[in-house]
Amino acid sequence: MLDRRLFLASAAAFCLPALSARAAAPEAAKTFVRGLANEAIEVMGNKGSAGPERLAKFRELFKRGFDVDAIGRFVLGRYWRDATEAEQQEYLRLFEDLIVHTYAGRFSEYSGETLTVLDARPEDDRVLLVTSQVNRTAGPPIRLDWRIAEREGGFKIVDVVIEAVSMSVTQRSEFASVIQRGGGKVASLLTALRDKTKNMQTR
Amino acid sequence: MNDEARDPFEPLNRHIFAVNQAIDVALVRPIASTYREVMPAEIKKAVNNFLNYLKSPVILANDLLQGEWKRAGETTERFFYNTLALGLVDVATHIPFHDEDFGQTLAVWGIAEGPYLVLPLIGPSNPRDGIGIAVDWFIDPVYWISVNNQWDGLIYGRTAARVITARVDTIPATDDLERTSLDYYAAIRDIYRQRRADEIRNRATRPTPRVFFDQYRALIIQEQPQPAVTN
């Protein structure tokens, strides 16, 4: 009986620091999202600097906050293994271009919206979901969730969920469709990505 | 065949999608865009309020069919409050508005969505939601009252207003998607499913899709060899 109580007490003592360490992560993740969003608004909202310069800053910020390679590989799904090494490398480069321009475009239409970070909770031992909302001047707020992986070097965003629509899941299904329509060849996706990113840059 | 896409009629769907897109570009989007820019905010709000008000009986019926008693109460209470304002002003903002439809009710009853369908004029759908639209139309007292009184203007006017206001809400999102997607049709197909799943859950937080953990375990959580090229 005594042994048992002793065991419980020591178990509790060992668990407590672990528990508090786990509880700290959600708060840190919320701060991470808040900080990143503010930086992005600052970079893209600064209409004083030239377009290309702004985009370069945004790309740097984006690569710091997002795990672009992991997202890219997730989005390519089972075709990652079908691709040659050269194709994989070109794909990751084009994918980065695509999502940097995608998000830069969204931020360039920024007009005073604010982000309220609502909650953060662990989804797995190393993955957190941070929920937030975008407050608009007109219309109801937009739900915006961030799936974040906890790494040794800090946090990295691995998915963005807008009004319950996951960017990664959508792109994954879209890319699969492009490849299948291109006869199952990853090369067809690369062609489509090349065309798309070229058009987005000339805009 | 793309099995994950669950789209066995894809060639036909893409064809109808293209026709719908042409109608949207020529007619619906320009009207919605003008409406959005020209119409004073108060009028837009009143139109939305009135459309929501007219839909109350259908929402209530679906709340009840889903066994959502609390939400049924909310719909009823909102209806009585807003009747005082002829449905034009939302005087029950302390109770949040929620939508429901029979497609969602069928989902709650455990009926599968079936293959993806693009319906002429209506757009992304599936057999479950297609049946849902027909049933909602049939059980709608506003429709039958209009028919009995020969208020054709109300029937057509409401349908037109629904189409335009719905399009107004989606203009920014579809513009962004057209700019950034490689395959607009495939992107819309997937987004439609994700959005419907969210509506069926009544916007409750979704559990993380299994696919994430299967893939992210390999990609994120465990050590991964870094690609040779850095950008």
Side-chain angles (χ1 to χ4, degrees):
Chain A
M1 188 64 205
L2 194 71
D3 282 351
R4 193 182 141 89
R5 208 176 292 161
L6 193 67
F7 169 75
L8 285 175
S10 55
F14 276 113
C15 286
L16 274 174
L19 276 175
S20 59
R22 280 246 51 88
E27 278 313 307
K30 282 160 78 173
T31 310
F32 167 74
V33 167
R34 228 177 263 130
L36 208 62
N38 286 339
E39 274 188 84
I41 290 167
E42 209 171 293
V43 170
M44 293 312 284
N46 180 13
K47 303 287 186 217
S49 63
E53 190 193 323
R54 215 162 54 213
L55 192 69
K57 272 194 190 157
F58 184 79
R59 183 187 291 264
E60 191 201 317
L61 174 69
F62 192 84
K63 283 169 76 170
R64 186 146 47 82
F66 284 70
D67 192 336
V68 183
D69 284 359
I71 299 170
R73 289 180 58 171
F74 171 79
V75 165
L76 195 52
R78 65 191 172 95
Y79 297 104
W80 175 261
R81 253 171 287 163
D82 295 352
T84 65
E85 204 169 303
E87 282 177 332
Q88 289 178 350
Q89 285 170 12
E90 191 191 357
Y91 166 75
L92 287 177
R93 206 176 58 241
L94 289 168
F95 182 72
E96 182 189 308
D97 270 356
L98 178 74
I99 56 172
V100 165
H101 280 94
T102 298
Y103 282 95
R106 284 175 193 166
F107 273 102
S108 68
E109 279 150 44
Y110 175 76
S111 54
E113 294 88 348
T114 57
L115 185 82
T116 309
V117 176
L118 300 171
D119 191 27
R121 60 164 188 283
E123 289 197 312
D124 199 341
D125 52 358
R126 292 273 191 84
V127 183
L128 291 131
L129 189 78
V130 176
T131 54
S132 70
Q133 65 178 43
V134 177
N135 310 300
R136 299 182 291 172
T137 43
I142 298 170
R143 284 179 296 159
L144 186 58
D145 300 342
W146 315 73
R147 191 162 280 118
I148 290 170
E150 211 178 334
R151 301 283 178 66
E152 282 136 51
F155 294 112
K156 289 276 187 188
I157 295 167
V158 291
D159 192 19
V160 173
V161 186
I162 308 163
E163 284 288 335
V165 176
S166 153
M167 279 281 294
S168 296
V169 169
T170 306
Q171 277 185 318
R172 187 184 163 95
S173 147
E174 195 193 335
F175 285 16
S177 171
V178 173
I179 293 172
Q180 268 141 12
R181 287 166 64 78
K185 293 195 174 61
V186 176
S188 59
L189 175 68
L190 294 180
T191 308
L193 275 170
R194 261 181 240 124
D195 290 348
K196 193 77 201 181
T197 49
K198 207 189 298 161
N199 289 335
M200 286 170 95
Q201 265 150 17
T202 50
R203 252 172 58 95
Chain B
M1 245 288 298
N2 187 352
D3 292 333
E4 279 172 48
R6 286 166 290 152
D7 189 2
F9 309 113
E10 183 167 340
L12 178 64
N13 280 341
R14 280 196 187 257
H15 189 76
I16 298 170
F17 188 78
V19 174
N20 286 350
Q21 280 291 101
I23 294 169
D24 182 61
V25 168
L27 199 67
V28 182
R29 196 189 179 287
I31 296 172
S33 179
T34 309
Y35 174 87
R36 188 165 112 114
E37 277 153 34
V38 171
M39 206 60 90
E42 302 79 55
I43 296 185
K44 282 191 277 194
K45 197 152 199 177
V47 170
N48 280 338
N49 287 339
F50 194 58
L51 290 174
N52 286 347
Y53 175 75
L54 288 182
K55 211 191 161 185
S56 302
V58 173
I59 298 170
L60 176 63
N62 284 297
D63 283 336
L64 293 171
L65 290 169
Q66 292 177 28
E68 292 274 2
W69 315 121
K70 185 165 171 282
R71 280 160 70 94
E74 287 170 3
T75 303
T76 310
E77 209 179 328
R78 280 182 54 83
F79 182 76
F80 281 115
Y81 271 109
N82 286 334
T83 300
L84 301 173
L86 304 173
L88 295 170
V89 184
D90 188 356
V91 292
T93 47
H94 59 289
I95 313 161
F97 169 79
H98 70 259
D99 204 353
E100 269 311 338
D101 57 69
F102 195 69
Q104 294 183 51
T105 299
L106 289 174
V108 170
W109 290 353
I111 292 165
E113 64 180 23
Y116 182 66
L117 293 178
V118 181
L119 303 178
L121 300 175
I122 292 169
S125 193
N126 54 48
R128 187 174 69 195
D129 288 340
I131 290 166
I133 291 168
V135 171
D136 283 336
W137 192 277
F138 191 75
I139 63 173
D140 185 6
V142 177
Y143 173 71
W144 292 111
I145 291 167
S146 307
V147 169
N148 289 339
N149 293 288
Q150 287 171 321
W151 294 338
D152 289 1
L154 184 62
I155 298 173
Y156 295 120
R158 178 168 74 148
T159 305
R162 274 181 170 178
V163 170
I164 297 306
T165 53
R167 189 67 185 99
V168 164
D169 292 340
T170 60
I171 284 177
T174 54
D175 283 2
D176 181 75
L177 197 65
E178 280 195 88
R179 185 179 70 88
T180 60
S181 61
L182 303 181
D183 184 341
Y184 187 58
Y185 169 89
I188 291 279
R189 178 176 61 199
D190 209 63
I191 289 170
Y192 177 73
R193 289 208 180 102
Q194 293 186 57
R195 295 283 313 216
R196 284 300 280 170
D198 181 57
E199 286 167 3
I200 291 160
R201 287 191 304 270
N202 293 339
R203 313 180 90 203
T205 310
R206 79 183 296 187
T208 302
R210 194 63 245 161
V211 65
F212 273 102
F213 289 131
D214 296 346
Q215 289 261 326
Y216 278 160
R217 279 257 155 237
L219 287 176
I220 290 158
I221 295 162
Q222 284 156 18
E223 286 301 318
Q224 51 165 324
Q226 286 300 312
V229 155
T230 47
N231 303 303

